[in-house]
Every structure is written in C-alpha cells, then in structure tokens.
Amino acid sequence: MFLKMERMMFVNKNIKKIVVTALMCALFSCMASLNVLAAPKYVNITGEPVVVREKPGTSQKSLTKVHYGDQLVYVGQKKDKKGVYWYQIKLADNKKGWVTSALSQTVDEKDIGRVEVTTKLLNVREKASLKSNVLGITRIGSQFDYFSEVKDSSGQTWYRVHYGENKLAWLLGTYCKVVKKQGDSDSVPDSKTKGKQVEITASPVNVRSAASLKASRIGTTSKGKKYKYLDSDVEQSGRVWYQIQYTAKETGWVLGSLSKTSDDGGTSSTTSTTKTTSKTTAKTASKQVKVTSSILNVRSSASYKGKILTTVKKGKTFKYISSKKDSDGRTWYQIEYKSGKKGWVVSKYTKLTGDTTTKTKTAEKKVKITGSKVVVRASAGKSGKKIAMVKKGNTFKYLSTKKDAKGKTWYQIQYTSKTKGWVMGSLSKIVEAKATTKATTATTKKAAKKVEIIESPVRVRESASTSSKKLGTTSEGKTYEYLATKKDANSRIWYQIQYTSKTKGWVLGKFCKLV
C-alpha cells in the first residue's frame, strides 16, 4: 500500500513538472513572437558625437563614432550593469557595435517611409544638391527606406534614404515617388501570387540562397527559363530580388534586374492605334533665316554628317523652305543659299524673321484613372513588368492603344517626363482636355551666358580638341561663364569657358548645355 502511494506521488510530481515546463515554453514562445513583431528596424542617433562600443557599457572598448541624425540598422538590445539599455547596431562591412539609449532612439517599421525610383538611371548623392558627390547609381523600380525630405534653393524636393550597408544618401524627388508614407502601412499591397512566374531575361544568372549578392550561389539559370514565383525582397541598396522554386525541393533568389514577373498565359499585341493630332497654321508673312553666328556651314542634309556645301556669315538672311530634326533632336532649317540651290543650317546659330503665326491645336487626349489602385506596366499585358501604382483620379498624357492576347484594351501613357507605361482600359478612360489656341511671334533669343555641365567627370582642355592638353576636370551641375563656340576637325562642338578666375578652357558640347 505504501509503495503504491509513493508511486502515485512520484507520477503526480512528474506531471506537474511537465505542465509547468510546457506553460513556461509557451510563455517564452509568445514573448519571443511579440519581440519579433515589435522589433524596431533602425536606431536614430540623437547625440553628437556618440561612441560605438564593442560591448554594452561606458567602460567597454571604443570602436568608432557616429553622429547626430545617422540612421543605423538595429540588431538587438541589452541592459548594462546599471540598468541602462544599449542598442546593438550594424556598422559598415557588417561589423556590429553598441550605442547607449541615452543618446539614441529606436525607429519602428511603421515610422519609416519608402520611395521608389521612376527613371531609368538615377544618381545617389551625398547631399541634397545636384553639385554634391555621387555615391552610386540606382535603377528604375529600386526602393529605399526614407526618413525625411527637404527642398533645395531652387525648390526641388530631395529624399534622405538609407543606402548600402550603413550610408545615408539623397535622391532627387523629381525622379522618385513615395510608395509608403511615414507612419502608414505599405501603400502598395503585394499582388496575388497564384499562377505568378519569374522569367529570366539574361544569361547566365546566378541563383542564390538569400536575397543578397553576398549569399552563397546554389546554381545558375539562363534567359527564357521560367520558375514559380514565391516571394520578393528589397536590399538596403534598393536591389529587388525574386524568390523562385528553383528545383522540386529547392528554392532560391534571382536579381529582379535580370528577370521579370508575369502571370501564366502571357500576352501578345495584336492591334495598335496611335494618337493623332491636327494643327492648322495660318502664315501672315514669308519666313527668312538670319545667321547669328560669325561663320556657319551650309550642309547637304539636316545633320552634322552632311557634306559642307558652303559657309555663310553673320547677319546674312536667306529664304526659309522647311525644318527638320536630326537623331539627336536638333532642329535644322532648309534654306535657299543661292538661286536654285538649297542646303541645311542648324537652327541654334540662326533665327527666323518675319514669322508671325497663329496655331490652333485640337484637344489633347488624356487618360484618367478610374480604379482605386491601378498598376502601370512596361508592356500591354498583365505579364508586363510593374513600373508603379497610380491612384483614382490621376490623369496622364495619352499616347496609344493596344489589345492583348485576350482582347483586353490597354492605354499607353506618359507616366513621367522620361517614362512611358501601360494601364488597363477597364480601370481607366480617355478624356479630352480643352482645345487651345496660341498666338506666337518669333523673337530673338538672348545669347547664352553660362555653360552647365551635365555629365561627370568632364575634361577641361586647353583648346577645342580631344588631343589638347588637359587643364583639369569638372562635374555634373557646375556652371561657368560662356565665352565662345568652336568646331573641331570632326565637326564636334566645343564651348570655351572661364574655368578659373585666370584660366580659360574648352569642354566638349555633348557633355554640357548653354543656359
């Protein structure tokens, strides 16, 4: 009897231990889940400067210093012996360190905004200025966490973003759009993944174990191959990655810039109609072309490659015949330079005289978005790469119409000044703006006084030739006093500038513009 009671007591004790252990595990599991959900994303530095230490505590070894306003990737947190919280952060080259909570604060996911690049290529700059150093180049579709925005002296908006491993940089707002505002949930919901595929658009493409160029390579794939789409991710640098079902048992990641997402079925274009506009011009006086350059070449065609027929001098006027644009967008005027002889001069060094015209333009067509959130795609079909998301009521310039393989109508729009896209006809409609009538009178353009550099870096030379001595270099956004224009033996245009207070130099015309 005694042995029986002893066994029962032993069993009861074991059951109690199991129950208590299970409850504790469940409690810790819940706490861990809560910690994961509540974990911040960044640590904002509020002191100047702040020491980053090897371990939590003011007596620990110093690694480096960070500065007021820096946003660093959050790793974890811990209390020191005095009960003060320290935040573990990620430094450059993936090194980690600790900063005190007394001089920093955590930033939650909901308080971080996100911007997306809308132009083909965009410079990432050190400061909010076109004259600032370029840290790198990003591409259309890249997304970045942003913390603030400012306007420069010319009124242009700049976004302060997290770039690379541990960098803060600036993007020009003209070529970005906000896809998630600070304090909001993500405004661009993930599309349904059922039936979605990833098509490889380059060869060869590495398949990696994680969404990073540093992740191990698990294999390669080639152009045209398709895989089941599983997920997508964006690196701190803005690179987009797609997770695919690489094999029956293995998943992997491929770069978004080397692939595209699509729905099963694909699309094809069957019919296309282009926008037509009509213009009526009533001429009230015959046109003449007056030469404004000291010496100007008359060419056999509307191009710098055209044969030089003769040269004409400043102040001479000729009968205007027609106008034409070359492949670089330059306007040329056809003139009668001798009785019965015709040739072409570039409009930049001439002006039209005796030209007063009235132009009546028919109503311009626009596309108005009627759906709440509509995807703008790179081609007319659901498999087209997603460029952006637009809201109801937004209007864009109409370009053309096309039908996909299923007979659905798509409208091509001018999404930004440099980007075109397609929207579904069922989620938008064509509207007409009011017709406008403009009276224009030809006027003499003011002579350019400045030369603005539009590339980086650009060599400044002693004379108008690529073989001339190099005086130095200049960069995008800088402006100089304009002095003269000259062509070299290859008909390339050069501009003479006041490079320094005592030095004059020449820059190649294709790398700058007159302002």
Side-chain angles (χ1 to χ4, degrees):
M1 182 71 177
F2 176 75
L3 288 171
K4 190 175 181 180
M5 288 176 67
E6 189 177 25
R7 285 194 195 99
M8 289 176 68
M9 288 172 67
F10 178 75
V11 171
N12 287 339
K13 281 182 181 180
N14 284 342
I15 290 172
K16 283 180 181 179
K17 283 183 180 179
I18 292 168
V19 171
V20 171
T21 302
L23 288 171
M24 290 295 287
C25 287
L27 179 61
F28 284 126
S29 177
C30 290
M31 288 175 69
S33 299
L34 288 170
N35 285 335
V36 170
L37 290 171
K41 192 170 184 180
Y42 294 99
V43 173
N44 184 33
I45 304 302
T46 57
E48 179 58 41
V50 176
V51 177
V52 181
R53 300 192 180 273
E54 192 174 38
K55 295 179 181 179
T58 53
S59 61
Q60 299 298 323
K61 181 182 176 181
S62 171
L63 297 176
T64 185
K65 290 180 181 179
V66 288
H67 302 277
Y68 178 85
D70 285 351
Q71 303 276 357
L72 303 158
V73 176
Y74 171 92
V75 179
Q77 60 186 44
K78 200 174 186 180
K79 281 184 181 180
D80 62 16
K81 294 177 181 179
K82 296 179 182 179
V84 177
Y85 271 106
W86 287 72
Y87 301 128
Q88 190 178 31
I89 53 156
K90 188 185 288 186
L91 297 167
D93 302 323
N94 281 326
K95 291 181 180 178
K96 295 174 184 177
W98 297 82
V99 290
T100 176
S101 62
L103 299 172
S104 61
Q105 62 184 21
T106 56
V107 183
D108 293 331
E109 176 76 37
K110 66 180 178 61
D111 295 320
I112 302 164
R114 192 175 300 120
V115 292
E116 183 177 310
V117 178
T118 58
T119 189
K120 191 175 181 180
L121 294 172
L122 180 62
N123 287 329
V124 183
R125 297 190 179 271
E126 188 177 20
K127 296 179 181 178
S129 168
L130 285 173
K131 296 180 180 180
S132 175
N133 292 333
V134 176
L135 299 177
I137 297 175
T138 184
R139 297 175 180 274
I140 188 170
S142 297
Q143 292 189 2
F144 299 86
D145 288 342
Y146 90 96
F147 309 100
S148 61
E149 59 184 85
V150 298
K151 288 184 182 288
D152 61 19
S153 56
S154 62
Q156 294 189 103
T157 300
W158 292 79
Y159 294 114
R160 190 170 187 244
V161 300
H162 191 266
Y163 176 69
E165 291 295 338
N166 183 37
K167 290 179 184 176
L168 287 175
W170 293 88
L171 298 177
L172 185 57
T174 309
Y175 304 111
C176 299
K177 64 171 183 175
V178 176
V179 295
K180 177 179 175 290
K181 292 182 179 179
Q182 292 168 317
D184 289 352
S185 58
D186 200 335
S187 62
V188 184
D190 290 331
S191 56
K192 294 179 181 179
T193 60
K194 186 178 180 181
K196 201 169 185 180
Q197 289 187 320
V198 173
E199 183 180 343
I200 308 302
T201 56
S203 286
V205 174
N206 290 325
V207 182
R208 299 189 179 273
S209 59
S212 170
L213 289 174
K214 296 178 180 179
S216 60
R217 190 180 71 177
I218 60 175
T220 58
T221 183
S222 55
K223 186 176 181 179
K225 289 196 174 181
K226 294 182 180 180
Y227 300 91
K228 183 180 178 182
Y229 168 89
L230 300 175
D231 199 1
S232 61
D233 197 6
V234 181
E235 279 188 87
Q236 294 294 344
S237 63
R239 282 188 290 259
V240 176
W241 291 80
Y242 297 130
Q243 188 182 32
I244 61 171
Q245 191 67 49
Y246 183 48
T247 65
K249 295 182 179 180
E250 194 173 24
T251 62
W253 293 83
V254 291
L255 262 174
S257 59
L258 303 177
S259 57
K260 66 179 181 180
T261 58
S262 61
D263 296 322
D264 284 340
T267 62
S268 63
S269 57
T270 54
T271 59
S272 176
T273 59
T274 56
K275 182 187 77 167
T276 58
T277 58
S278 62
K279 295 180 182 179
T280 57
T281 304
K283 295 182 181 179
T284 59
S286 61
K287 293 181 183 180
Q288 284 191 316
V289 176
K290 185 175 182 179
V291 180
T292 57
S293 177
S294 55
I295 294 178
L296 183 60
N297 290 326
V298 181
R299 296 184 180 271
S300 60
S301 60
S303 168
Y304 280 123
K305 294 180 181 179
K307 182 182 176 182
I308 298 175
L309 302 174
T310 187
T311 56
V312 290
K313 294 182 179 180
K314 185 176 181 178
K316 292 281 186 180
T317 57
F318 302 92
K319 182 181 177 181
Y320 166 88
I321 299 171
S322 64
S323 63
K324 194 175 184 180
K325 285 191 176 183
D326 61 21
S327 57
D328 295 317
R330 286 183 289 256
T331 300
W332 292 73
Y333 296 138
Q334 189 180 33
I335 61 170
E336 188 175 45
Y337 67 94
K338 273 187 181 181
S339 180
K341 292 187 176 181
K342 300 174 184 178
W344 294 84
V345 291
V346 66
S347 66
K348 193 173 188 178
Y349 306 111
T350 63
K351 70 173 182 178
L352 286 176
T353 60
D355 176 35
T356 302
T357 62
T358 302
K359 294 182 179 181
T360 303
K361 191 177 180 180
T362 57
E364 184 184 54
K365 289 182 179 180
K366 290 187 174 291
V367 174
K368 186 174 183 179
I369 306 301
T370 56
S372 57
K373 289 179 181 178
V374 178
V375 177
V376 181
R377 298 189 181 274
S379 57
K382 285 189 175 180
S383 63
K385 186 177 180 180
K386 185 170 74 173
I387 295 174
M389 205 73 140
V390 290
K391 296 180 180 179
K392 185 176 182 179
N394 287 352
T395 57
F396 302 92
K397 184 179 178 181
Y398 165 83
L399 300 176
S400 63
T401 302
K402 191 179 275 189
K403 287 188 178 182
D404 60 22
K406 297 179 181 179
K408 292 183 179 179
T409 300
W410 291 75
Y411 297 134
Q412 188 182 33
I413 61 171
Q414 192 71 46
Y415 175 58
T416 67
S417 59
K418 295 183 178 180
T419 309
K420 298 175 183 179
W422 294 84
V423 292
M424 282 192 72
S426 59
L427 300 174
S428 56
K429 65 179 181 180
I430 295 177
V431 294
E432 287 191 355
K434 292 180 180 179
T436 58
T437 302
K438 292 183 180 178
T440 61
T441 303
T443 58
T444 305
K445 292 183 179 178
K446 292 182 180 178
K449 293 182 179 180
K450 296 280 185 181
V451 173
E452 182 181 343
I453 309 301
I454 58 174
E455 294 284 344
S456 285
V458 174
R459 294 182 179 90
V460 182
R461 297 192 179 272
E462 193 174 45
S463 59
S465 169
T466 53
S467 60
S468 174
K469 180 183 176 182
K470 188 177 80 171
L471 301 177
T473 58
T474 183
S475 56
E476 181 187 0
K478 289 192 175 181
T479 56
Y480 299 91
E481 183 185 350
Y482 165 78
L483 300 175
T485 301
K486 197 173 184 180
K487 288 181 184 177
D488 61 18
N490 297 314
S491 295
R492 288 179 297 217
I493 292 177
W494 291 76
Y495 296 130
Q496 189 182 34
I497 61 172
Q498 192 68 46
Y499 184 46
T500 67
S501 59
K502 297 181 179 180
T503 309
K504 297 175 183 178
W506 292 84
V507 288
L508 199 54
K510 69 178 181 178
F511 299 132
C512 49
K513 66 179 180 179
L514 294 175
V515 294

